[in-house]
Amino acid sequence: MLLTEDPSAFPTAPPPSVDDPEVIAAHDWAAFDRVQEMSNHWDRAGWTPSTRAYYWMLSFPADSALAEHARHCQDKIRNLNFDSIDADGLHLTLGRIGTTDDVTLEQLDTLLATTAAIPTARFRLQAVPMTASRGAVRYSIAPWTPVLDLHSKLSATTAQCQLPLRKPTAVLRPHIGIAYCNRPTDACVVREAIRPLRDMDSVGVPVDRLDLVELRREDRAYRWRTIDQVALN
């Protein structure tokens, strides 16, 4: 999959390797090192308290090694006063399908049946501590190839069902957030807080299912209702 530069993505340019953990981690950190001020993650157009939208995502158990690792990292950056993501809220966003006003339940049923019929292999990721973007503290993720392959298949099935994903695979930058920035913040302060966490070991993240969810914002957090899950074989 050929990735492209995109000013709305972070990092804007893809890494030199999409599978080497050290290369990905260094590339993410270099991009964040150029950020002078982080912005309020919640200050985004298009979301209201009543907004509900369907997404493909990967979610992770609240009792997983990833959740335990994330809690440790969150404890180390409490002084930033960011909005930590709960253990049951850790996720990797794959793509937005559409709002509940624009997508019917019949369309979702067709999409789920079409997606379940395609070959999708389970895989394992590494969550590589620790970096940030313009609006969140997050894990770098490696390798990207299985995530990109899955996203590409989802793009094909959603397009087939007349529900194209908002963003193409070419601009996907896989990551898992642990805390959202909730105000304009000097990025130097954040770098100093998370720099010691970069020496921690990575944590393995098994991926054996895909979630279709109805996503909402609630009390400066993302919450969702799982519509259905597709097992990865």
PDB file of all heavy atoms in Angstrom, residues 6 33 51-52 56 59 83 91 120 132 185 189 191 227:
ATOM      1  N   ASP A   6      -0.221  13.982   3.756  1.00  0.00           N
ATOM      2  CA  ASP A   6      -1.520  14.637   3.902  1.00  0.00           C
ATOM      3  C   ASP A   6      -1.438  15.598   5.074  1.00  0.00           C
ATOM      4  O   ASP A   6      -1.077  15.189   6.179  1.00  0.00           O
ATOM      5  CB  ASP A   6      -2.623  13.603   4.140  1.00  0.00           C
ATOM      6  CG  ASP A   6      -4.006  14.220   4.147  1.00  0.00           C
ATOM      7  OD1 ASP A   6      -4.432  14.693   5.231  1.00  0.00           O
ATOM      8  OD2 ASP A   6      -4.655  14.253   3.089  1.00  0.00           O
ATOM      9  N   ASP A  33       8.252  16.382  17.795  1.00  0.00           N
ATOM     10  CA  ASP A  33       9.302  17.302  18.206  1.00  0.00           C
ATOM     11  C   ASP A  33       9.187  18.642  17.482  1.00  0.00           C
ATOM     12  O   ASP A  33       9.718  19.656  17.956  1.00  0.00           O
ATOM     13  CB  ASP A  33      10.678  16.682  17.945  1.00  0.00           C
ATOM     14  CG  ASP A  33      11.780  17.319  18.768  1.00  0.00           C
ATOM     15  OD1 ASP A  33      11.514  17.705  19.931  1.00  0.00           O
ATOM     16  OD2 ASP A  33      12.905  17.442  18.251  1.00  0.00           O
ATOM     17  N   THR A  51     -24.428  14.037  18.418  1.00  0.00           N
ATOM     18  CA  THR A  51     -23.845  13.353  17.259  1.00  0.00           C
ATOM     19  C   THR A  51     -23.594  11.878  17.566  1.00  0.00           C
ATOM     20  O   THR A  51     -23.022  11.532  18.601  1.00  0.00           O
ATOM     21  CB  THR A  51     -22.521  14.009  16.838  1.00  0.00           C
ATOM     22  OG1 THR A  51     -22.752  15.372  16.488  1.00  0.00           O
ATOM     23  CG2 THR A  51     -21.917  13.288  15.646  1.00  0.00           C
ATOM     24  N   ARG A  52     -24.016  11.029  16.660  1.00  0.00           N
ATOM     25  CA  ARG A  52     -23.737   9.593  16.724  1.00  0.00           C
ATOM     26  C   ARG A  52     -23.247   9.171  15.347  1.00  0.00           C
ATOM     27  O   ARG A  52     -23.862   9.513  14.333  1.00  0.00           O
ATOM     28  CB  ARG A  52     -24.994   8.785  17.105  1.00  0.00           C
ATOM     29  CG  ARG A  52     -25.632   9.189  18.437  1.00  0.00           C
ATOM     30  CD  ARG A  52     -24.769   8.764  19.604  1.00  0.00           C
ATOM     31  NE  ARG A  52     -25.422   9.030  20.895  1.00  0.00           N
ATOM     32  CZ  ARG A  52     -25.332  10.175  21.548  1.00  0.00           C
ATOM     33  NH1 ARG A  52     -24.638  11.188  21.027  1.00  0.00           N
ATOM     34  NH2 ARG A  52     -25.939  10.338  22.708  1.00  0.00           N
ATOM     35  N   TRP A  56     -15.607   1.806  12.069  1.00  0.00           N
ATOM     36  CA  TRP A  56     -14.840   0.586  12.241  1.00  0.00           C
ATOM     37  C   TRP A  56     -13.695   0.888  13.194  1.00  0.00           C
ATOM     38  O   TRP A  56     -13.024   1.919  13.043  1.00  0.00           O
ATOM     39  CB  TRP A  56     -14.242   0.112  10.917  1.00  0.00           C
ATOM     40  CG  TRP A  56     -15.173  -0.494   9.920  1.00  0.00           C
ATOM     41  CD1 TRP A  56     -15.449  -0.026   8.670  1.00  0.00           C
ATOM     42  CD2 TRP A  56     -15.924  -1.710  10.056  1.00  0.00           C
ATOM     43  NE1 TRP A  56     -16.325  -0.873   8.025  1.00  0.00           N
ATOM     44  CE2 TRP A  56     -16.626  -1.912   8.845  1.00  0.00           C
ATOM     45  CE3 TRP A  56     -16.067  -2.648  11.082  1.00  0.00           C
ATOM     46  CZ2 TRP A  56     -17.461  -3.007   8.640  1.00  0.00           C
ATOM     47  CZ3 TRP A  56     -16.906  -3.736  10.870  1.00  0.00           C
ATOM     48  CH2 TRP A  56     -17.591  -3.917   9.675  1.00  0.00           C
ATOM     49  N   SER A  59     -10.904  -2.526  19.316  1.00  0.00           N
ATOM     50  CA  SER A  59     -10.972  -2.232  20.750  1.00  0.00           C
ATOM     51  C   SER A  59     -10.195  -3.305  21.500  1.00  0.00           C
ATOM     52  O   SER A  59      -9.894  -4.377  20.955  1.00  0.00           O
ATOM     53  CB  SER A  59     -12.421  -2.171  21.231  1.00  0.00           C
ATOM     54  OG  SER A  59     -13.055  -3.431  21.092  1.00  0.00           O
ATOM     55  N   ASP A  83      -7.050  14.525  29.624  1.00  0.00           N
ATOM     56  CA  ASP A  83      -8.183  13.609  29.816  1.00  0.00           C
ATOM     57  C   ASP A  83      -7.744  12.187  29.487  1.00  0.00           C
ATOM     58  O   ASP A  83      -7.660  11.797  28.314  1.00  0.00           O
ATOM     59  CB  ASP A  83      -9.357  14.021  28.926  1.00  0.00           C
ATOM     60  CG  ASP A  83      -9.908  15.388  29.287  1.00  0.00           C
ATOM     61  OD1 ASP A  83      -9.930  15.707  30.491  1.00  0.00           O
ATOM     62  OD2 ASP A  83     -10.297  16.135  28.368  1.00  0.00           O
ATOM     63  N   HIS A  91      -8.608   2.203  22.045  1.00  0.00           N
ATOM     64  CA  HIS A  91      -9.043   1.764  20.725  1.00  0.00           C
ATOM     65  C   HIS A  91      -8.082   2.251  19.648  1.00  0.00           C
ATOM     66  O   HIS A  91      -7.288   3.170  19.870  1.00  0.00           O
ATOM     67  CB  HIS A  91     -10.448   2.290  20.419  1.00  0.00           C
ATOM     68  CG  HIS A  91     -10.525   3.800  20.356  1.00  0.00           C
ATOM     69  ND1 HIS A  91     -10.588   4.584  21.487  1.00  0.00           N
ATOM     70  CD2 HIS A  91     -10.507   4.656  19.300  1.00  0.00           C
ATOM     71  CE1 HIS A  91     -10.616   5.865  21.136  1.00  0.00           C
ATOM     72  NE2 HIS A  91     -10.569   5.936  19.814  1.00  0.00           N
ATOM     73  N   THR A 120      -9.923 -12.222   6.288  1.00  0.00           N
ATOM     74  CA  THR A 120      -9.235 -11.247   7.141  1.00  0.00           C
ATOM     75  C   THR A 120      -8.465 -12.017   8.206  1.00  0.00           C
ATOM     76  O   THR A 120      -9.063 -12.699   9.040  1.00  0.00           O
ATOM     77  CB  THR A 120     -10.238 -10.300   7.826  1.00  0.00           C
ATOM     78  OG1 THR A 120     -11.267 -11.067   8.464  1.00  0.00           O
ATOM     79  CG2 THR A 120     -10.865  -9.347   6.823  1.00  0.00           C
ATOM     80  N   ALA A 132       3.334  11.624  21.026  1.00  0.00           N
ATOM     81  CA  ALA A 132       2.134  12.449  21.061  1.00  0.00           C
ATOM     82  C   ALA A 132       1.909  13.031  19.675  1.00  0.00           C
ATOM     83  O   ALA A 132       2.767  12.944  18.786  1.00  0.00           O
ATOM     84  CB  ALA A 132       2.253  13.554  22.105  1.00  0.00           C
ATOM     85  N   THR A 185      -1.554  23.812  24.974  1.00  0.00           N
ATOM     86  CA  THR A 185      -0.495  23.414  25.902  1.00  0.00           C
ATOM     87  C   THR A 185       0.860  23.469  25.207  1.00  0.00           C
ATOM     88  O   THR A 185       0.993  23.007  24.075  1.00  0.00           O
ATOM     89  CB  THR A 185      -0.741  21.980  26.421  1.00  0.00           C
ATOM     90  OG1 THR A 185      -2.024  21.919  27.061  1.00  0.00           O
ATOM     91  CG2 THR A 185       0.321  21.562  27.415  1.00  0.00           C
ATOM     92  N   VAL A 189       6.545  21.039  27.348  1.00  0.00           N
ATOM     93  CA  VAL A 189       6.177  20.490  28.655  1.00  0.00           C
ATOM     94  C   VAL A 189       5.747  19.030  28.506  1.00  0.00           C
ATOM     95  O   VAL A 189       6.096  18.165  29.319  1.00  0.00           O
ATOM     96  CB  VAL A 189       5.048  21.328  29.296  1.00  0.00           C
ATOM     97  CG1 VAL A 189       4.560  20.683  30.591  1.00  0.00           C
ATOM     98  CG2 VAL A 189       5.518  22.751  29.544  1.00  0.00           C
ATOM     99  N   ARG A 191       6.586  16.952  26.028  1.00  0.00           N
ATOM    100  CA  ARG A 191       7.749  16.137  25.668  1.00  0.00           C
ATOM    101  C   ARG A 191       8.564  15.749  26.895  1.00  0.00           C
ATOM    102  O   ARG A 191       9.014  14.605  27.027  1.00  0.00           O
ATOM    103  CB  ARG A 191       8.621  16.881  24.649  1.00  0.00           C
ATOM    104  CG  ARG A 191       8.114  16.760  23.219  1.00  0.00           C
ATOM    105  CD  ARG A 191       9.109  17.304  22.217  1.00  0.00           C
ATOM    106  NE  ARG A 191       9.132  18.752  22.199  1.00  0.00           N
ATOM    107  CZ  ARG A 191       8.311  19.517  21.482  1.00  0.00           C
ATOM    108  NH1 ARG A 191       7.380  18.953  20.734  1.00  0.00           N
ATOM    109  NH2 ARG A 191       8.407  20.828  21.506  1.00  0.00           N
ATOM    110  N   ILE A 227     -22.113  -2.428  17.671  1.00  0.00           N
ATOM    111  CA  ILE A 227     -23.192  -2.941  16.842  1.00  0.00           C
ATOM    112  C   ILE A 227     -22.985  -4.411  16.551  1.00  0.00           C
ATOM    113  O   ILE A 227     -23.881  -5.245  16.670  1.00  0.00           O
ATOM    114  CB  ILE A 227     -23.275  -2.149  15.516  1.00  0.00           C
ATOM    115  CG1 ILE A 227     -23.451  -0.652  15.790  1.00  0.00           C
ATOM    116  CG2 ILE A 227     -24.404  -2.681  14.643  1.00  0.00           C
ATOM    117  CD1 ILE A 227     -24.693  -0.289  16.553  1.00  0.00           C
TER     118      ILE A 227
END
